[in-house]
Amino acid sequence: MGEYTVIVLSNKRKAAHQNSNGICILCNKPILSHEKWSVEHFIPRAIYKWIPKPEIEWQVESDANLFAVHMDCNLNKNAEIPTVRTINALRVAPSVKEKLLLVYWAIYDDIEAYRSMKQSVWAKQNGACAFCEKAIRLTKATLRRIDNRFERSRENAMCLCFHCSLRAARPAHKQKMVNRKRLLSK
Ligand SMILES: [Zn+2]
Ligand SMILES: [Zn+2]
């Protein structure tokens, strides 16, 4: 990482901490100085990964969308796609909420397109994880590529539970499971 990258990262952390006013937006408890925390994109990055448009990436990566969360809280969070209701429920300053809503409305159509893509993949799997086949709630499901060699698309997408999606981050494990479940031969 060059010096520039480090500066950008620390600016992002600063913006996230400021927007949250030092409070974790997931548990609403203060982030103490000894606690580990990370930068949370309230409108998830997955949206511009699955719908690759520079303007979505720009909006999702803007300071207004960054918040601070405890590292532990981040591991247990839902993969819920934001709505006006979840934005209004945030315990942050009204001005911070207003800026976040601007980001939300700017890419509303793309957020909805991502929501419907995820929902259709999940429904195609009858609401079960593609790997372990346990029933998963839509808000707990994570969208992953079936085959890393190809672009992200509805056809190349599968829904995994949180546990399987963590394991699928290892390409060797993912390929083994994709082969075992015959997800490519459909
Ligand atoms: Zn927390
Ligand atoms: Zn699973």
Side-chain angles (χ1 to χ4, degrees):
M1 278 199 303
E3 199 180 326
Y4 176 74
T5 317
V6 174
I7 291 167
V8 169
L9 282 180
S10 67
N11 281 345
K12 280 184 179 266
R13 282 181 75 82
K14 208 167 144 188
H17 202 270
Q18 259 169 16
N19 286 342
S20 309
N21 199 21
I23 309 262
C24 166
I25 58 156
L26 295 174
C27 70
N28 295 316
K29 287 180 189 145
I31 295 170
L32 306 174
S33 56
H34 68 272
E35 286 177 314
K36 286 197 172 154
W37 64 277
S38 56
V39 174
E40 166 80 347
H41 294 70
F42 192 74
I43 300 169
R45 290 162 135 175
I47 295 173
Y48 71 75
K49 290 183 178 155
W50 286 89
I51 306 170
K53 289 189 202 166
E55 61 269 31
I56 308 178
E57 178 167 357
W58 185 80
Q59 292 284 356
V60 168
E61 293 294 341
S62 68
D63 283 0
N65 189 40
L66 306 179
F67 294 87
V69 293
H70 292 113
M71 219 72 116
D72 288 345
C73 292
N74 202 21
L75 284 177
N76 293 311
K77 71 173 179 192
N78 282 340
E80 197 171 353
I81 300 163
T83 58
V84 172
R85 186 183 57 78
T86 60
I87 291 173
N88 279 327
L90 281 173
R91 293 200 207 162
V92 296
S95 61
V96 171
K97 231 177 255 189
E98 270 167 39
K99 283 183 196 157
L100 177 58
L101 279 167
L102 287 179
V103 174
Y104 176 80
W105 289 120
I107 55 169
Y108 175 78
D109 290 345
D110 302 300
I111 294 173
E112 287 308 303
Y114 173 74
R115 189 194 307 281
S116 98
M117 183 197 290
K118 188 173 163 185
Q119 183 150 15
S120 78
V121 173
W122 175 81
K124 198 170 73 184
Q125 294 173 200
N126 299 314
C129 171
F131 283 3
C132 71
E133 294 175 20
K134 282 182 192 148
I136 25 169
R137 293 228 306 269
L138 186 56
T139 53
K140 293 274 185 190
T142 308
L143 218 48
R144 291 272 185 180
R145 273 186 286 186
I146 295 172
D147 191 331
N148 284 353
R149 289 171 302 169
F150 300 110
E151 298 287 302
R152 291 181 176 85
S153 68
R154 193 185 295 256
E155 294 68 39
N156 192 25
M158 60 181 170
C159 267
L160 297 180
C161 73
F162 181 71
H163 178 77
C164 290
S165 87
L166 281 185
R167 296 192 70 196
R170 283 174 44 226
H173 175 75
K174 180 162 150 182
Q175 188 149 25
K176 196 181 85 186
M177 289 303 287
V178 164
N179 292 343
R180 187 191 292 171
K181 299 285 173 185
R182 300 175 196 279
L183 294 171
L184 282 173
S185 59
K186 274 179 199 162

